[in-house]
Amino acid sequence: MSSLQARSLSRAPAASIVDRSARLELLEYFLVHSDDVALCAQASLEWLADYAGVKRSMCLAVDTEASALVGIAGHGVPDEEVELFSWSLDRHDPLVLALSSSEPTAFKATRANGTYNAISSTPLGAGPISAIPLRGASNSSDSAVGLLLLRPLTVLTPDVAWLVMVLGQKLEQLRGRGSLAEEARKLRRERSLFFTIINSVTDPILLTDTEGRLIVANARAEKLFAASEEESEGRRRAVELNNMLFSAALSRTAVETEARELLLVDPSDGSDLLFEVLSTTVEDPREGTGIVSVLRNITDLRRATEQIEENYQRLRVLEASARAERDRLNLIIDSVADPIIVTDQFGATVMMNNPAEQLFTVLPEAQDYAQRNVQANDAHFSSFISGLLLGESGPGEVRRGEIGLMNPNTAEPVPVEAIAGKVLTDTGELTAVVTILHDRREALERVHLYEQLKTASDELQARVQAATAELATQNELLRRQAIELEQASRLKSQFLANMSHEFRTPLNAILGYTHMLLQGVAGELLAPVKRQLQRIDSNGRHLLTIINEILDITRIEAGKMPIQISEFDLNELVPEVMVELDPMIVRSKLTVTPRLSPELPLVNSDRQKVKQIVVNLLSNALKFTHQGGIDIAVAFDAASRTAAIEVSDTGIGIAPEHHEKIFEDFRQVDDSPSRQYGGTGLGLAICRRLATALGGRIALHSNVGQGSTFTLTIPVDIEQ
Ligand code: ADP
């Protein structure tokens, strides 16, 4: 009986009175294994362990032929020690004495002086041991058939006494059939051989009865399906689970010869173990029907299968992505405008994109010349990459060059720049050559255009330089002319000033004498003479006016007309001007209306010059107005602190195109020789210069036939 089966017997706690069924179970076992003394002895020792708490024990039988006590069963003792145990009966030592004793002998301690030394050499060790003789039914003191050695010391309780009795009887019963010890040994050897064989099988092997109870298991199976109470909780649980899974697997389907898969738990580390179960039904005349199951561990196999499957899947994914990559690459290559050609290591074209196809392929039905042109292109290309294919350049090197290709259909030259690179394997072998051709027509065109542009730009630059030089010359010329003009102008002014002065002296003398003659200093004049003298006087005065005005202009230009600032009231100045021009006003028969301003502050300016301007404006208004009237208005603008004198008439007016012209020297609206109005054309020119000198200005609003308004504006306080 295997240790497994012994443990699988139903148990009760190690109490003094054992359940009746436990005794029955043992007796039943004795009946079943009636021929096997070793098995019966072994079952008895297991029974003692379970129900009497005997941890280590041995059953010895008397071998009469050998005159020795030999081991037939052991518990808590190595099998081989039981096997080898042999104790001569010829000696009169304590063990032999214990055999013949009617009572159990207690070996309490081992003494060094040798009294109980012999006991120390049993496989149970040197501790306290009980030796109980086993006798048959005859129960005579010298007919002991065996000896039970129990450790620790065991009290002969009713259970132990019962067992000693039944075992003794069994031994005696079997002794009658021959040599007990020899029989036991033979059986032990056979069993041991059997277990050695099945234990040497690395696959778990189990024999179960029809209800799934375990009868025999090899060592490997025991690891999965058996656990003693001392073992850890986890391990016991795992074993329990495995037993359940195994019985379920057996009961689920009828026992077949086909293999089934069974998932178990490894009790040592809790990992999953996958087995293939092959069960066969066996018939034994004594044991009845049993099922032998061989479990083949396919965990690694399954893992390997899964790994292979996973690798296969991965390979599929990689393959798909490689395909996608290739498609994408094709798409990219096709979308590149430059021709791309891939050739293998022998120079044969493997792939080319659409632009390349236009250079290196023609339809079979194309004209002969197109076929020839393609061949020519091929020849040029092949000779370009031949260097790379022959390995002239080093690995990974790129070759650049220019190839003169042509459009196969039009024979138009297509100069290209070719860049070819090797594609090498990991081991450095050439597998392909990739060549990209770049159309150089555009680049050449650009170079040409650039050169043209550069020539044009150079020409332009030269022209600009020439023009700049010319301009510099002109500038220099102008500068010199300006200097000359300035000198001339200064000389002119000087001349005019001198001349005016020189003219005035004799003119004043002429006017003086004329005046005296007209006054009758030289006696009464005849009427015609008087008329002639009056003409002389009138023309002389006109000439004097002209000379005075010319003198004014030249003085102003030469900066020889200093500003004399004084504080005065414009409201007073206006009537004064009117008084001065009274003869003219009377002659004109026009109404002159002064419009004065009481708010006007006193003005700080050159009174003489302001008066000269107003006199001039009023006398012009009188001269060019034939009907209506003239207003002289004075105004003050507080914001800009300026005073204004506005002279408005209802005269002939001035066309807008003459508004600027009349302020120029010697300019009149009507400058024809037959002009209607007298004057020098210098009055307004002098007025503007004077106004400017006072920090002011003269503005004009006028139109033909609508009268004119001249406005002199000056700062109330002149800036010095
Ligand atoms: P002139 O001595 O000729 O009057 P001015 O310089 O004073 O010289 O005037 C130039 C010209 O401007 C005049 O000849 C005239 O044609 C025009 N002019 C000046 N004031 C008036 C005005 N109030 N109405 C119309 N024309 C005028």
Side-chain angles (χ1 to χ4, degrees):
M1 176 183 185
S2 78
S3 58
L4 178 77
Q5 195 182 1
R7 274 196 291 275
S8 72
L9 292 169
S10 60
R11 289 168 195 205
S16 55
I17 309 281
V18 179
D19 194 284
R20 190 178 281 269
S21 63
R23 289 189 184 186
L24 272 175
E25 202 180 341
L26 185 66
L27 289 178
E28 205 181 308
Y29 190 84
F30 276 15
L31 276 175
V32 172
H33 299 279
S34 56
D35 295 343
D36 194 333
V37 65
L39 274 186
C40 291
Q42 187 68 42
S44 303
L45 297 186
E46 307 291 347
W47 197 94
L48 278 174
D50 289 343
Y51 302 111
V54 180
K55 290 203 176 75
R56 299 172 76 185
S57 56
M58 265 181 91
C59 181
L60 310 176
V62 176
D63 185 343
T64 41
E65 277 173 31
S67 181
L69 263 177
V70 293
I72 58 168
H75 173 75
V77 181
D79 275 0
E80 55 281 9
E81 289 196 28
V82 175
E83 193 96 357
L84 293 173
F85 188 82
S86 177
W87 195 273
S88 173
L89 291 173
D90 299 339
R91 290 185 287 182
H92 287 282
D93 61 20
L95 209 59
V96 177
L97 288 176
L99 183 69
S100 50
S101 164
S102 59
E103 293 296 320
T105 308
F107 295 96
K108 289 190 179 160
T110 306
R111 288 206 192 145
N113 60 16
T115 315
Y116 301 124
N117 267 359
I119 205 69
S120 69
S121 59
T122 72
L124 295 192
I129 293 171
S130 290
I132 306 171
L134 296 167
R135 290 191 170 81
S138 53
N139 204 18
S140 65
S141 62
D142 53 330
S143 63
V145 288
L147 190 65
L148 264 181
L149 296 181
L150 310 175
R151 184 175 173 173
L153 287 178
T154 309
V155 185
L156 212 56
T157 60
D159 286 333
V160 178
W162 174 81
L163 183 109
V164 168
M165 182 191 75
V166 293
L167 182 57
Q169 285 173 359
K170 187 76 192 170
L171 287 187
E172 191 183 46
Q173 181 196 343
L174 290 174
R175 193 162 80 155
R177 297 191 201 161
S179 168
L180 233 185
E182 192 47 43
E183 180 71 11
R185 279 189 185 185
K186 205 176 125 219
L187 288 170
R188 280 183 70 86
R189 265 201 300 279
E190 280 174 4
R191 199 168 59 249
S192 145
L193 182 64
F194 167 70
F195 274 105
T196 309
I197 291 169
I198 63 165
N199 283 344
S200 70
V201 179
T202 50
D203 292 335
I205 300 174
L206 304 124
L207 173 64
T208 43
D209 62 17
T210 45
E211 270 129 55
R213 277 195 298 262
L214 210 50
I215 299 167
V216 176
N218 70 349
R220 187 81 186 95
E222 279 198 22
K223 276 193 185 140
L224 291 169
F225 296 101
S228 64
E229 284 195 353
E230 297 89 66
E231 281 177 297
S232 75
E233 176 74 16
R235 202 181 140 82
R236 274 188 285 136
R237 285 250 176 82
V239 164
E240 219 171 279
L241 183 67
N242 284 348
N243 276 307
M244 269 163 52
L245 290 168
F246 182 62
S247 349
L250 281 190
S251 64
R252 201 168 46 240
T253 50
V255 174
E256 305 155 4
T257 43
E258 253 174 51
R260 281 157 298 162
E261 283 189 359
L262 173 64
L263 187 70
L264 297 177
V265 180
D266 187 340
S268 54
D269 59 9
S271 62
D272 284 348
L273 294 173
L274 187 70
F275 289 95
E276 196 177 64
V277 185
L278 201 68
S279 302
T280 330
T281 313
V282 287
E283 295 292 342
D284 185 74
R286 223 170 36 193
E287 301 274 352
T289 309
I291 300 160
V292 174
S293 305
V294 178
L295 278 64
R296 202 150 62 86
N297 189 339
I298 55 165
T299 315
D300 291 344
L301 196 68
R302 170 55 61 93
R303 254 186 231 137
T305 313
E306 282 171 3
Q307 188 68 44
I308 287 171
E309 239 166 58
E310 207 174 288
N311 284 348
Y312 178 68
Q313 288 299 338
R314 208 173 297 152
L315 202 69
R316 295 277 304 272
V317 170
L318 283 177
E319 223 176 59
S321 86
R323 209 176 308 120
E325 187 64 29
R326 203 180 51 220
D327 290 349
R328 201 161 52 236
L329 196 69
N330 279 344
L331 209 67
I332 292 170
I333 287 180
D334 270 343
S335 67
V336 173
D338 285 340
I340 299 177
I341 303 151
V342 182
T343 37
D344 66 12
Q345 67 267 45
F346 308 109
T349 304
V350 181
M351 198 173 85
M352 59 171 83
N353 64 353
N354 291 336
E357 275 178 9
Q358 286 170 14
L359 288 171
F360 294 97
T361 58
V362 277
L363 295 173
E365 62 269 22
Q367 300 286 334
D368 281 353
Y369 70 84
Q371 311 266 15
R372 274 198 303 280
N373 290 345
V374 162
Q375 279 166 8
N377 283 351
D378 262 340
H380 283 123
F381 175 70
S382 300
S383 86
F384 172 72
I385 58 162
S386 61
L388 276 182
L389 294 172
L390 292 171
E392 276 172 10
S393 44
E397 220 170 88
V398 168
R399 183 170 185 184
R400 282 169 182 274
E402 285 182 19
I403 316 180
L405 301 178
M406 63 179 119
N407 182 323
N409 297 315
T410 61
E412 180 200 351
V414 181
V416 294
E417 188 192 12
I419 303 165
K422 289 177 172 183
V423 179
L424 303 176
T425 60
D426 292 347
T427 51
E429 282 167 47
L430 177 71
T431 55
V433 173
V434 178
T435 312
I436 301 176
L437 305 174
H438 183 62
D439 193 334
R440 295 199 65 239
R441 278 177 296 182
E442 221 173 275
L444 291 174
E445 181 69 15
R446 268 205 298 275
V447 169
H448 183 61
L449 278 177
Y450 175 76
E451 272 164 11
Q452 279 185 343
L453 203 69
K454 201 166 171 309
T455 316
S457 153
D458 289 349
E459 265 173 33
L460 200 68
Q461 203 175 342
R463 279 190 205 167
V464 167
Q465 272 172 0
T468 312
E470 175 74 10
L471 208 65
T473 317
Q474 294 290 342
N475 275 349
E476 183 55 27
L477 223 60
L478 278 174
R479 199 176 63 80
R480 286 195 194 148
Q481 280 175 356
I483 293 169
E484 278 167 18
L485 274 172
E486 206 178 298
Q487 276 174 356
S489 168
R490 217 177 24 247
L491 285 174
K492 176 206 81 181
S493 298
Q494 191 63 45
F495 169 76
L496 283 175
N498 292 344
M499 286 307 288
S500 305
H501 188 71
E502 292 303 316
F503 282 146
R504 265 196 332 175
T505 315
L507 192 55
N508 276 329
I510 291 167
L511 286 173
Y513 285 117
T514 312
H515 186 71
M516 276 160 56
L517 285 174
L518 284 170
Q519 292 297 313
V521 174
E524 201 59 31
L525 297 176
L526 292 173
V529 176
K530 201 174 180 176
R531 265 202 312 278
Q532 303 295 338
L533 277 177
Q534 275 168 342
R535 275 194 199 131
I536 291 171
D537 182 61
S538 151
N539 282 304
R541 282 184 197 286
H542 182 62
L543 189 59
L544 187 64
T545 314
I546 293 173
I547 290 169
N548 281 341
E549 284 179 345
I550 288 173
L551 203 58
D552 278 353
I553 291 250
T554 44
R555 273 209 203 117
I556 293 168
E557 282 192 346
K560 286 182 182 163
M561 196 180 253
I563 309 268
Q564 310 282 342
I565 298 171
S566 63
E567 196 177 61
F568 59 96
D569 190 352
L570 281 180
N571 287 327
E572 283 174 11
L573 188 112
V574 171
E576 205 178 300
V577 172
M578 285 170 67
V579 169
E580 193 159 306
L581 293 181
D582 191 48
M584 225 179 142
I585 293 170
V586 172
R587 245 195 337 268
S588 72
K589 300 187 183 113
L590 294 169
T591 322
V592 177
T593 317
R595 299 189 191 279
L596 306 177
S597 167
E599 295 99 51
L600 187 73
L602 293 178
V603 173
N604 270 308
S605 196
D606 189 324
R607 192 175 195 282
Q608 176 53 41
K609 292 189 174 63
V610 174
K611 187 177 169 185
Q612 190 180 342
I613 294 169
V614 181
V615 165
N616 210 307
L617 294 180
L618 182 56
S619 61
N620 273 352
L622 290 167
K623 192 158 71 176
F624 296 105
T625 306
H626 308 298
Q627 55 192 22
I630 296 164
D631 279 1
I632 308 181
V634 176
F636 170 64
D637 180 34
S640 58
R641 283 202 60 75
T642 50
I645 302 167
E646 204 176 76
V647 181
S648 329
D649 61 50
T650 53
I652 60 167
I654 308 158
E657 65 266 25
H658 295 134
H659 284 194
E660 261 311 300
K661 191 175 123 181
I662 55 171
F663 287 98
E664 290 169 12
D665 296 348
F666 301 105
R667 297 301 287 267
Q668 295 172 317
V669 171
D670 178 9
D671 49 6
S672 61
S674 57
R675 65 179 190 266
Q676 194 183 343
Y677 305 99
T680 57
L682 281 171
L684 286 177
I686 292 168
C687 286
R688 176 171 271 184
R689 280 184 174 83
L690 290 176
T692 307
L694 297 177
R697 63 184 187 280
I698 295 172
L700 166 62
H701 285 280
S702 178
N703 224 325
V704 179
Q706 294 173 10
S708 310
T709 301
F710 286 84
T711 310
L712 164 69
T713 309
I714 52 162
V716 171
D717 296 298
I718 190 170
E719 277 180 23
Q720 301 193 38

